[in-house]
Amino acid sequence: MIMNNLIALDKYTCPKLEKLKLKREWEKFISGSNTVPTIRSLMYDSWQRCLEQGISPLQSKNKLTPF
């Protein structure tokens, strides 16, 4: 399988469809109705950590304030 260097997709995957899938999974996740994620566990775990720490995964890094 040939992988894209920037994202975990093989060369036969349609990026537009993957984007839609990810958006649907995100909406399920933030609504609390996503009990069995269909996304990569690495991404789901990241979303979980953000939720547990009260961090928005959509927030830009440059908006964080130093201690």
Side-chain angles (χ1 to χ4, degrees), residues 9-23:
L9 299 176
D10 65 46
K11 69 178 186 175
Y12 303 108
T13 303
C14 176
K16 288 182 182 181
L17 291 177
E18 286 300 308
K19 184 177 178 180
L20 289 173
K21 175 184 167 185
L22 188 59
K23 182 179 178 183

Side-chain angles (χ1 to χ4, degrees), residues 2-57:
I2 297 173
M3 301 297 282
N4 181 312
N5 290 334
L6 302 176
I7 52 178
L9 299 176
D10 65 46
K11 69 178 186 175
Y12 303 108
T13 303
C14 176
K16 288 182 182 181
L17 291 177
E18 286 300 308
K19 184 177 178 180
L20 289 173
K21 175 184 167 185
L22 188 59
K23 182 179 178 183
R24 282 191 301 262
E25 289 300 316
W26 172 251
E27 290 169 352
K28 289 180 194 177
F29 178 80
I30 61 173
S31 72
S33 64
N34 191 13
T35 56
V36 180
T38 59
I39 59 172
R40 295 180 344 164
S41 62
L42 181 68
M43 183 167 289
Y44 184 80
D45 293 343
S46 175
W47 290 356
Q48 276 297 129
R49 286 191 305 274
C50 288
L51 182 66
E52 290 166 2
Q53 296 177 21
I55 299 170
S56 171

Side-chain angles (χ1 to χ4, degrees), residues 54-65:
I55 299 170
S56 171
L58 303 176
Q59 183 179 10
S60 172
K61 290 181 183 180
N62 63 2
K63 292 183 181 180
L64 297 176
T65 57

